[in-house]
Amino acid sequence: MSLALTSPPPTSSTCDFNYFQSLSSEYTDERYLRRASELKVEVKKMLVQEKEVASSVEELLELIDELQRLGISYHFEDEINQILGCLYKQKYAGGKNNSEGKERDLYSTALAFRLLRQHGFTVSQEVFDCFKNDKGEFDLSLAHDTKGLLQLYEASFLSTPGEKTLDLGREFATNFLQKNPNQKIDENLSLLVRHALEFPTHWRAQRPNARWFIDAYERRSDVNSVVLELAKLDFNIVQATHQEELKHLSRWWKQTCIAEKLPFARDRLVEAYTWSSGYLPRPEQAYARMMSTKLNALTTVLDDIYDIYGTLEELQLFTDAVQRWDTEAIERLPEYMQIFYLAAYNLVNEMSYDVLTKHGILAIQHMKKQWADVCALFLQEANYYSKGYTPTLEEYINNACISITIPLMLCHAYFLDTNQIDMEAVQALSTYHDIVRYSGTIARLSDDLATSADEMERGDTPKSVECYMNESGASREEAREYIKFVIDETWKKMNAQVVAVDNSPFSKDFVSMAADLGRIGQYMYQHGDGHGVQGSHIKDRTSSLLFQPIL
Ligand code: 0FV
Ligand code: MN
Ligand code: MN
Ligand code: MN
Ligand code: MN
């Protein structure tokens, strides 16, 4: 039976529990898996044949872009890397910028640029120089090339700090795309333009965006039916496994009794799951995804203990107990804190046990350091609030990119989802390498834009918007714009890390995970507080992502 949703998923923990246990999807059935395998073979053929015919590089790049946006490129990673590697060698390697030969068009130049950079190839922004006039501005003759402008706009989000051509390109493209030049463009293109102006593809979380893009793709006149069928089927199959995971997780959550014993705290298992499926999206990451969900559900409660419920004295004792990481330290804590402490302690010990049996490496001291650091920062924030202290924006971000708990998530995910643990990488995580800081900054600032107005009203430490207002005298609106600018600048630094992955202690996969965590953070806070407030808009999104198959 396919899952018929008569009513939206409920909110309270008990209703959630019953709802999850009742889920059943037909997409766990063997015949769907078999069909998906057949379709994958077909798509692989397309990638290989197109390459041999070399009918046009552009078509091949379009296919790759579509597979990515449809959320199914993970099945074809080897093929895609090979194609991009060949293209790079032929046209870009060794400082070439593909400028020889015939007249180039903006559309394919920008598409190739974006795909290559996404995959870690160094392509110079100079590939766009030929579209600029003598004054160094993008040429006005491009103003009506909507497809080209859209690609230029999307490509500009792959920029690294200081790349002026890409900044100019973004400004130029945005300007004309917003004006929607009064030529007729087809409806599908204008849909893509609106979607991109709202949020660029590079910033969008994979599965939520695939859910949107599959619908848009289906409406096109030139849709590839094999690709479409695979995209829908894969989405539904993965969704069915996510539902099984949620069943298991909601049993665990119920057993912890946290929602019942700490009723003041947010009860956010599904949101916690949405986060972890954002940075651990692949079917084979099930174990890491489930453990990370547990972590995220707990850290959300921990944040409420510090922000809302605990007295400063209790918080000090609790912080010390986490620092010590032994159960004697919790004797003097109030019962609600003992419950939380043991839930977190057991979870971390269990994960560490799993890492030890799998890799022979003791992760516990690294994991507990993350918890101790987060608690120390939470306590500092509580103290700032009680003293009325407002830090500078820089001082704020330095700590708040960690107190958003993203580095903690990444550190645990590193241990849970790595084939081979590299101690240099572990060290870099412990000392908050730039990659985890950038990921944390993107999520933190997105959180602040969505939550700080309510937080200030309730009484909480000043967040980025307020810190900047205090330091610069800017209005709230100006400060929000400035914070958006900082998010943009942080993405540029993150992009530079993707290209420089060979010199980093982390694998390409881990760097992508950090970027994906920034993306899912932006998704959670894109339309208000999607993590903390359970409004109807958020419920619709969750429902189409996790509960309703695509028909
Ligand atoms: C975010 O809520 C939140 F829940 C945090 C930082 C703990 C766990 C984080 C995730 C699962 C993302 P809130 O806006 O209350 O956080 P702050 O840090 O602003 O109090
Ligand atoms: Mn509650
Ligand atoms: Mn909070
Ligand atoms: Mn907080
Ligand atoms: Mn917040």
Side-chain angles (χ1 to χ4, degrees), residues 313-435:
E313 195 189 343
E314 288 170 351
L315 296 176
Q316 181 67 59
L317 287 173
F318 185 86
T319 310
D320 294 344
V322 173
Q323 176 78 42
R324 283 175 53 182
W325 205 259
D326 80 61
T327 44
E328 262 172 54
I330 64 173
E331 277 166 16
R332 287 163 60 215
L333 295 178
E335 189 195 325
Y336 81 93
M337 282 184 161
Q338 290 174 335
I339 296 220
F340 182 87
Y341 189 98
L342 281 184
Y345 184 82
N346 288 345
L347 177 64
V348 171
N349 289 350
E350 183 189 347
M351 289 186 294
S352 176
Y353 184 82
D354 293 342
V355 174
L356 184 60
T357 51
K358 185 172 175 202
H359 298 281
I361 282 177
L362 207 53
I364 192 146
Q365 64 270 38
H366 304 288
M367 292 183 178
K368 78 178 192 199
K369 176 183 183 289
Q370 295 283 332
W371 285 81
D373 287 357
V374 159
C375 288
L377 288 172
F378 279 3
L379 181 65
Q380 187 185 65
E381 286 169 359
N383 280 323
Y384 280 180
Y385 175 57
S386 82
K387 291 191 192 120
Y389 174 70
T390 305
T392 62
L393 182 61
E394 192 185 339
E395 185 188 351
Y396 171 80
I397 290 180
N398 240 330
N399 292 330
C401 71
I402 298 168
S403 75
I404 187 70
T405 73
I406 265 58
L408 178 146
M409 291 183 206
L410 282 169
C411 176
H412 288 73
Y414 180 80
F415 283 112
L416 302 176
D417 187 55
T418 311
N419 289 328
Q420 208 177 350
I421 292 171
D422 171 358
M423 291 321 282
E424 197 196 336
V426 171
Q427 197 51 35
L429 288 166
S430 273
T431 49
Y432 302 103
H433 188 279
D434 281 345
I435 287 183

Side-chain angles (χ1 to χ4, degrees), residues 259 262-268:
L262 287 76
F264 59 86
R266 286 169 294 178
D267 174 359
R268 294 293 181 274

Side-chain angles (χ1 to χ4, degrees), residues 214 218 227-237 550-551:
I214 290 170
E218 187 169 28
V227 170
L228 177 65
E229 189 186 345
L230 179 60
K232 285 184 178 179
L233 196 51
D234 191 72
F235 188 92
N236 293 342
I237 289 171
I550 306 179
L551 300 173

Side-chain angles (χ1 to χ4, degrees), residues 266 275 296 299-300 303-304 307 378 381 403-406 409 444 447-448 451 455 458 460 463 525 529 531:
R266 286 169 294 178
W275 279 90
N296 297 345
T299 51
T300 303
D303 178 65
D304 288 340
D307 286 349
F378 279 3
E381 286 169 359
S403 75
I404 187 70
T405 73
I406 265 58
M409 291 183 206
R444 160 54 69 192
D447 172 283
D448 290 351
T451 65
E455 285 162 350
R458 187 188 66 221
D460 201 331
K463 300 297 171 77
Y525 296 113
D529 184 1
H531 182 62

